[in-house]
Amino acid sequence: MRRPDQQTTTRPTTGPAPETGAAAATGAESLSGGTPGPGLPPGATGPGHPAGTGPAAAPGRPAGDLTTEAVLAPYLRAQAADFLRSLRLHHEHSAPADSGGHDAAAATRALRRAARRISGSLHTFRAALDPLWADQLRTELTWLTGVLAREHAYANRLTRLVEALHQLSGPALPAARGARAAGEGSADAQGRAALGVGAARAGALLERRLTLARTRSHSAALQALGSSRFHAVADAVALLASDVPLAPGPEGRGSEELLEPAERAEQRLLAAVAALPPEDSEPYNEAQDAAWHQARLLLRLHRYAHEVVLGAADPALAAPGHALDLHRDAVEAAGAAAAAARTPRIAPATAYALGVLHADQRHELEAARAVFRESWPYATVLTAP
């Protein structure tokens, strides 16, 4: 890993525009230290990403300051404070006298965001911390974020699918969803008519299924937030806000204790991206989705490690991360449409509309993959060898 006071970067000038100010000064440098990616010879590049053409990165922290006590402990304490602050806001906006449902949802998102950062840092920098404590707290935070995320996920999924149905059942289907020969106009008109008939019923079916799932998830979240298990998690985070249990060893540990785990997190990400399915692979092969989900999780861990080591998120990874989030949403929406289509005794027109909706979401995830490939900033091959 390149030390933060060195200024080599793998980022090309064709990447996203850099931020200005302090965020750019601390977050613009790649943790890979100018290497083109795992398993590639010097000078190798990815498609459209020539190596060594990026702007010089602004210096970050001096390498001597990258100790657990100076960097990781304050980061974890700050995230713990954000967790507790979000929890207090959630309690305030969830009171019966408070009708601010939007504020409660915002507090829940902030709570999940802090919990993810704590959990990710405990995973990446486990060797620098008390391992038993880190594993226990990470397990509990993973449980909490999973419970809190479900209601939001079901609500977004319903909105996404209903809006897609409205677009698909409009006066004309987008050309990108299948080129039609001159003699297919009549068949296309019949298909659109069948889609129009089934779209309303498909939307109603999806609303019943996903609203029920959202209601159950909301109840599960409320139950979790009132459980003794959650109170134990909150107590552990409250202690973390004042005291970070470190691994036994001499004080003033060297920078390698943080740099090496952060570099491993980056190398795992680069290897996962390099092993993604080729762009010209079978577009409807759902078995490939798992590799993209794994890349999304590793990108998140790398982003958090970047925040710890360099003090800010890498702005060049914002667009690829957003693309992978959209990919995840499209995969889950396609799965919801397919599951609804398996409902017993639904009308053929409803099943047809759900099938079209499933195909539409698979197109959307393919588009998200293309955006990821175009916005990926590192000089790394994006196809498996």
Side-chain angles (χ1 to χ4, degrees), residues 243-258:
D243 180 38
V244 179
L246 302 178
E251 293 189 7
R253 299 169 175 84
S255 60
E256 289 75 11
E257 193 170 40
L258 297 184

Side-chain angles (χ1 to χ4, degrees), residues 35-315:
T35 58
L40 298 177
T45 63
H49 296 291
T53 59
R61 297 187 179 97
D65 293 343
L66 286 174
T67 63
T68 303
E69 293 86 348
V71 175
L72 179 59
Y75 178 86
L76 288 173
R77 287 196 294 266
Q79 295 303 323
D82 286 345
F83 180 98
L84 298 173
R85 188 180 305 112
S86 303
L87 180 59
R88 185 182 68 251
L89 291 174
H90 183 274
H91 285 329
E92 292 175 356
H93 294 299
S94 298
D98 192 335
S99 59
H102 176 74
D103 292 333
T108 301
R109 288 194 296 272
L111 186 67
R112 289 168 45 212
R113 183 165 56 247
R116 287 197 305 266
R117 278 166 168 75
I118 296 172
S119 177
S121 299
L122 296 180
H123 174 78
T124 299
F125 302 105
R126 179 180 182 272
L129 303 164
D130 182 317
L132 180 60
W133 167 82
D135 291 344
Q136 290 177 342
L137 182 55
R138 182 165 62 90
T139 298
E140 296 304 290
L141 289 173
T142 300
W143 161 75
L144 178 62
T145 54
V147 170
L148 296 180
R150 292 190 193 106
E151 179 185 0
H152 177 72
Y154 283 124
N156 282 357
R157 203 169 305 158
L158 176 60
T159 300
R160 180 187 186 94
L161 289 170
V162 169
E163 289 179 352
L165 270 176
H166 285 321
Q167 294 175 359
L168 290 169
S169 60
L173 289 175
R177 296 188 173 93
R180 287 167 287 275
E184 295 180 354
S186 175
D188 176 66
Q190 293 176 1
R192 189 178 298 113
L195 180 60
V197 171
R201 293 180 180 177
L205 175 60
L206 287 168
E207 186 166 2
R208 287 196 302 272
R209 291 172 60 93
L210 294 177
T211 299
L212 176 61
R214 179 186 180 185
T215 301
R216 289 174 174 170
S217 297
H218 180 71
S219 299
L222 292 179
Q223 184 177 3
L225 291 174
S227 67
S228 58
R229 183 178 184 180
F230 171 74
H231 287 298
V233 175
D235 289 343
V237 175
L239 291 175
L240 176 62
S242 59
D243 180 38
V244 179
L246 302 178
E251 293 189 7
R253 299 169 175 84
S255 60
E256 289 75 11
E257 193 170 40
L258 297 184
L259 290 174
E260 290 178 0
E263 182 176 346
R264 286 195 297 270
E266 182 180 53
Q267 293 304 316
R268 286 194 296 268
L269 168 64
L270 295 177
V273 171
L276 287 174
E279 187 173 4
D280 58 353
S281 61
E282 174 61 41
Y284 293 106
N285 185 356
E286 297 182 5
Q288 297 177 354
D289 295 342
W292 290 87
H293 293 328
Q294 178 70 3
R296 175 179 171 273
L297 294 177
L298 292 175
L299 175 57
R300 173 178 289 176
L301 289 175
H302 169 62
R303 286 176 49 225
Y304 298 161
H306 198 285
E307 289 180 4
V308 171
V309 174
L310 295 182
D314 186 349

